[in-house]
């Protein structure tokens, strides 16, 4: 039996070597692109800070009311945080691809699957903005639509299939000998942990927008809203730790917190109008005039803000078997 296994391995080696060669090349290309993208994001982060000067008094884009709490201030800050987050993710992943580290496979799969969840509302927003642009040429609209479909969901699905291939797993395990801790952690739990971390970041970003917090049919602003955002983020951080430890209380906590958060978000947006939300955000008048022209309703906002927590809640519900009693 052992002899047959050895002969089967020898007979299959040319086929495997050809497939492995293609996969090694793909890992090198992906790693190089990730590393280049991460370095570019790390360099763009400090450059984006210069936008504060452009909108400050004396800058070419200054308007009355630009300060902490305005929409543009929060938008610039979120973009800077996004650049640094991309750098933190892409640079280690790119290096790991080039060094053929086995931990890149579970991490990449978790990030891609999380993107299929959090990317849904962002893609809808991008498509909405593209459709609402009246001065866009037809060719540019078609190219923009193709780019949106490529980024979500086509490219993530293709990459998930790539990382799940046995050839990639064999290459990484042969190059990086011993198993790592991530190999013992079920994939759904790692994906949930990434989603929880993304949600924690989103809650921190909301503190820049007058601390808006949905509370079962209404919104809290200012210090009360920021306090609840802080408490929710702290609970999520604890749940994330428990999920990585496969503790059953983390599963119950995730179901309770995510369920309440999704329900509260959907109810609050459905029962509020877009103008009333803008008024509560207390943006400068110039930003209110601009944002008021966007044709949104409470239902649209409920869909955009509630879809990710709802999908995450379903994923947490289905992951029960991976938690230890």
């Amino acid at each position: 039996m052992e002899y047959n296994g050895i002969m089967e391995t020898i007979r299959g080696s040319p086929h495997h070597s050809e497939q492995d060669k293609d996969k090694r090349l793909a890992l090198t290309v992906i790693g190089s692109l990730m590393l280049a993208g991460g370095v570019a994001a790390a360099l763009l982060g400090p450059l984006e800070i210069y936008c504060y000067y452009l909108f400050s008094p004396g800058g070419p884009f200054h308007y009355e009311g630009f300060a902490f709490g305005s929409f543009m201030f929060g938008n610039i800050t979120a973009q800077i945080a996004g650049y640094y987050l991309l750098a933190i993710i892409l640079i280690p992943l790119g290096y790991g691809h080039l060094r053929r580290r086995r931990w890149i496979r579970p991490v990449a799969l978790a990030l891609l699957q999380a993107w299929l969840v959090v990317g849904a509302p962002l893609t809808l927003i991008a498509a909405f903005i593209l459709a609402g642009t009246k001065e866009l040429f037809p060719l540019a609209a078609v190219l923009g639509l193709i780019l949106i479909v490529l980024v979500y969901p086509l490219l993530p699905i293709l990459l998930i299939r790539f990382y799940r291939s046995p050839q990639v797993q064999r290459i990484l395990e042969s190059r990086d000998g011993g198993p790592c801790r991530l190999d013992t952690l079920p994939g759904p739990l790692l994906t949930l942990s990434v989603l929880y971390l993304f949600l924690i970041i989103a809650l921190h970003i909301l503190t820049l927008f007058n601390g808006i917090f949905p509370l079962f049919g209404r919104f809290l602003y200012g210090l009360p809203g920021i306090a609840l955002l802080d408490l929710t983020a702290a609970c999520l951080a604890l749940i994330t730790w428990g999920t990585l430890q496969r503790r059953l209380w983390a599963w119950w906590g995730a179901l309770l917190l995510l369920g309440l958060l999704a329900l509260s978000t959907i109810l609050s947006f459905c029962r509020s109008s877009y103008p009333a939300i803008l008024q509560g955000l207390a943006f400068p008048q110039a930003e209110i005039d601009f944002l008021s022209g966007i044709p949104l309703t409470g239902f649209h906002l409920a869909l955009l803000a509630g879809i990710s927590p709802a999908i995450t809640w379903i994923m947490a519900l289905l992951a029960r078997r991976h938690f230890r009693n």
Side-chain angles (χ1 to χ4, degrees):
M1 183 175 180
E2 183 179 356
Y3 173 80
N4 292 336
I6 295 174
M7 293 302 297
E8 183 179 353
T9 302
I10 294 176
R11 286 194 298 267
S13 59
H15 177 65
H16 285 165
S17 62
E18 188 65 28
Q19 288 183 333
D20 290 354
K21 183 179 179 180
D22 296 338
K23 293 297 188 293
R24 287 193 186 96
L25 178 60
L27 285 171
T28 301
V29 172
I30 294 173
S32 301
L33 292 175
M34 285 183 171
L35 194 58
V39 172
L43 294 175
L44 286 173
L47 292 176
E48 186 71 16
I49 295 176
Y50 183 69
C51 292
Y52 289 127
Y53 295 98
L54 297 178
F55 285 89
S56 297
F61 305 124
H62 174 69
Y63 55 87
E64 185 178 357
F66 175 79
F68 188 92
S70 65
F71 172 78
M72 188 54 66
F73 187 96
N75 183 39
I76 295 173
T77 306
Q79 290 184 48
I80 294 171
Y83 283 130
Y84 283 111
L85 180 62
L86 283 175
I88 292 172
I89 293 174
L90 293 179
I91 291 177
L93 265 180
Y95 175 80
H97 277 72
L98 296 178
R99 298 292 295 174
R100 306 287 192 270
R101 300 303 184 192
R102 63 191 298 164
W103 58 263
I104 66 170
R105 186 170 175 267
V107 172
L109 285 172
L111 288 171
L112 289 168
Q113 290 165 353
W115 172 245
L116 289 177
V117 178
V118 300
L122 298 178
T123 305
L124 289 175
I125 293 174
F128 179 80
I129 294 175
L130 184 65
T133 304
K134 299 179 181 179
E135 300 179 357
L136 197 63
F137 293 105
L139 179 60
V142 172
L143 292 177
L145 183 61
I146 292 175
L147 180 62
I148 290 174
V149 174
L150 181 63
V151 173
Y152 185 93
L154 183 59
L155 186 59
I157 291 176
L158 292 177
L159 287 175
I160 288 173
R161 183 177 179 182
F162 169 78
Y163 287 109
R164 284 179 173 173
S165 65
Q167 292 85 8
V168 171
Q169 182 177 4
R170 183 171 61 248
I171 291 171
L172 297 177
E173 290 180 352
S174 63
R175 182 68 177 269
D176 193 4
C180 61
R181 176 175 171 79
L182 294 179
D183 291 331
T184 62
L185 184 67
L189 298 192
L190 186 57
T191 302
L192 282 174
S193 300
V194 173
L195 287 171
Y196 298 159
L197 291 176
F198 282 161
L199 186 53
I200 291 173
I201 294 173
L203 292 172
H204 280 81
I205 291 176
L206 290 179
T207 61
L208 300 171
F209 300 100
N210 202 18
I212 180 173
F213 186 88
L215 189 63
F216 298 104
R218 63 192 184 97
F219 287 99
L220 297 181
Y221 300 94
L223 184 58
I226 292 177
L228 285 179
L229 289 171
D230 185 21
L231 180 61
T232 305
C235 292
L236 271 174
L238 183 62
I239 289 173
T240 304
W241 178 84
T243 300
L244 292 174
Q245 300 297 321
R246 303 177 65 179
R247 303 294 178 85
L248 187 59
W249 59 261
W251 180 76
W252 283 108
L255 287 187
L256 179 62
L257 182 61
L258 292 174
L260 292 175
L261 186 61
L263 179 62
S264 179
T265 301
I266 294 173
L267 282 177
S268 298
F269 278 112
C270 286
R271 294 183 178 180
S272 301
S273 64
Y274 180 54
I277 295 173
L278 286 180
Q279 183 179 2
L281 290 170
F283 290 150
Q285 189 59 44
E287 293 180 347
I288 294 291
D289 295 339
F290 168 74
L291 295 172
S292 298
I294 301 176
L296 287 176
T297 64
F299 174 77
H300 296 143
L301 295 173
L303 179 64
L304 294 174
I307 184 171
S308 292
I311 295 176
T312 305
W313 184 86
I314 295 174
M315 293 176 62
L317 178 65
L318 297 177
R320 166 64 181 84
R321 61 189 178 90
H322 298 296
F323 288 85
R324 301 186 179 120
N325 291 325

